[in-house]
Amino acid sequence: MAGVEQVKVAADEGGMRLDRWFKVHYPGLGFGHLQKLLRSGQIRVDGGRAKSDTRIAPGQLVRVPPLGTDAADVPAGPLTARTMRARGDGDVLSQMLLYEDDKVLVFNKPAGLAVQGGSGVSRHVDAMLEAWRNKKGEKPRLVHRLDRDTSGILVVARTRGAAVSLTKAFRERETQKTYWALVKGVPSPHDGRISTYLVKEQTPDGDRMRVGKHGDEGADHALSHYRVIDQVGQQFAWLEMEPYTGRTHQLRVHATHIGHPILGDPKYFEADTNFEFPGGVQKRLHLHARRIVIPHPDGRGTIDQLAPLPPHMVQTWNLFGFEEATGND
């Protein structure tokens, strides 16, 4: 861009955060560079200074200065644990964002990024959300979890009231959560339910869940549904899985329990000695939180969001000739 521009906010952009607006219009502009331009007053809204969380209104004029070469230096392409390393928290959150309004954020979490801190965790979503505190000083709040190696839909509340409502929706099972998984073998029947009790146990490699019995100490009931979407002969199957309960590692344990563990699962994948990992398929967990349907905390209908597959699963889907549209039917 050669000089200063005055860009008018479109009618359908009302209420959008300014940093999100820049992400849409100038996707190569890094979050750190954007912050410098805002702090120095080079970016303005209707002539006044603005911040990254400023809410813009239709018809307002955004002053956009020459953006220089910094924007071209920002890594492009999908987020992975590797490509995130050199990027600021706010920038990463902006690229993860699928949906936002004044109460709710929905992210597509990359595989390998932890949701909360723990042993050996140097970066996680909960800490990254500090970058998006609002004018009142409120940090967005987690309302559910995903395993570190599981990619996909992560819902976050922007306010305390929204957090209470969303947490209740998860607790009372008012949400519909759909996962995609690639498993060893093909389940029979192709459509079924898995009902067990799960018990957490300590191992040298950390917490692990096992199938237990009703009455076992610490045993919680776990119920899942699965259906086969597509398959590669009798070797592998693409499953749609829905957890009706929300136990730790539930889908991963249930898949193994029925004899069809999820490919790349470092804790629960089991195979005979003759099994060979397919060439061209990365040894990473093939489990993705694909979709969520959840009541809006303000009671205004539902939020229904889909998350694109992570790069390692896109690679596998292409290798096996799976069509994403088939899973959306």
Side-chain angles (χ1 to χ4, degrees):
M1 188 168 61
V4 173
E5 288 184 334
Q6 297 286 343
V7 183
K8 182 179 288 188
V9 176
D12 61 354
E13 295 174 334
M16 185 181 288
R17 281 172 55 120
L18 187 58
D19 55 1
R20 180 61 181 160
W21 184 89
F22 269 92
K23 188 65 180 176
V24 170
H25 289 271
Y26 306 93
L29 179 63
F31 183 78
H33 188 49
L34 172 63
Q35 292 297 97
K36 290 178 183 177
L37 294 173
L38 288 166
R39 285 196 300 268
S40 62
Q42 295 183 66
I43 292 175
R44 292 175 177 263
V45 177
D46 279 353
R49 283 181 174 266
K51 296 182 179 180
S52 59
D53 62 353
T54 294
R55 297 285 173 175
I56 54 178
Q60 287 186 315
L61 292 177
V62 180
R63 181 188 188 274
V64 182
L67 299 180
T69 58
D70 295 52
D73 297 333
V74 176
L79 282 174
T80 65
R82 181 180 59 80
T83 62
M84 287 190 299
R85 288 173 190 160
R87 305 177 65 175
D89 290 344
D91 186 20
V92 172
L93 290 173
S94 291
Q95 190 166 345
M96 287 166 51
L97 190 63
L98 294 172
Y99 169 87
E100 69 169 331
D101 60 31
D102 57 338
K103 302 293 184 183
V104 183
L105 300 164
V106 181
F107 295 106
N108 183 13
K109 186 189 79 67
L113 176 62
V115 173
Q116 289 184 297
S119 177
V121 175
S122 59
R123 193 180 195 188
H124 54 88
V125 175
D126 193 31
M128 293 168 66
L129 290 170
E130 291 284 352
W132 278 16
R133 284 188 179 272
N134 63 20
K135 292 180 179 179
K136 297 179 181 178
E138 285 184 299
K139 187 186 86 171
R141 294 168 168 84
L142 298 171
V143 293
H144 72 126
R145 311 287 183 268
L146 284 181
D147 296 340
R148 181 174 184 169
D149 293 327
T150 302
S151 59
I153 294 283
L154 182 69
V155 179
V156 174
R158 301 191 90 139
T159 66
R160 183 183 301 276
V164 171
S165 178
L166 292 168
T167 300
K168 178 175 178 288
F170 279 104
R171 184 178 62 248
E172 299 187 0
R173 302 169 193 169
E174 298 172 345
T175 63
Q176 178 188 345
K177 296 178 287 183
T178 304
Y179 289 72
W180 282 357
L182 181 70
V183 301
K184 174 180 173 288
V186 181
S188 179
H190 279 199
D191 192 316
R193 290 158 64 93
I194 309 166
S195 177
T196 69
Y197 285 85
L198 297 182
V199 180
K200 182 181 291 187
E201 58 184 8
Q202 301 289 328
T203 74
D205 297 323
D207 290 344
R208 179 184 170 93
M209 305 300 291
R210 64 172 176 83
V211 173
K213 297 180 295 184
H214 179 58
D216 286 352
E217 183 178 356
D220 290 313
H221 183 238
L223 180 64
S224 306
H225 174 264
Y226 73 87
R227 74 177 179 94
V228 176
I229 298 175
D230 205 346
Q231 62 192 82
V232 181
Q234 293 299 312
Q235 295 177 292
F236 306 103
W238 166 14
L239 301 188
E240 175 185 87
M241 303 188 78
E242 293 186 12
Y244 293 126
T245 51
R247 312 305 180 199
T248 301
H249 300 171
Q250 176 174 321
L251 296 180
R252 297 163 63 180
V253 178
H254 273 177
T256 298
H257 177 66
I258 63 172
H260 300 284
I262 299 173
L263 256 65
D265 192 330
K267 283 183 179 287
Y268 303 104
F269 185 82
E270 298 173 357
D272 59 57
T273 55
N274 296 322
F275 177 81
E276 293 185 6
F277 216 82
V281 176
Q282 296 184 42
K283 293 184 179 180
R284 305 185 66 186
L285 181 65
H286 282 62
L287 179 63
H288 177 68
R290 171 64 174 175
R291 180 185 183 191
I292 194 160
V293 181
I294 187 169
H296 194 281
D298 280 353
R300 51 184 194 237
T302 59
I303 297 168
D304 186 345
Q305 290 293 307
L306 294 173
L309 287 170
H312 70 282
M313 290 181 68
V314 170
Q315 179 180 335
T316 302
W317 262 230
N318 289 339
L319 179 70
F320 288 160
F322 292 156
E323 297 288 343
E324 285 195 38
T326 305
N328 296 333
D329 294 340

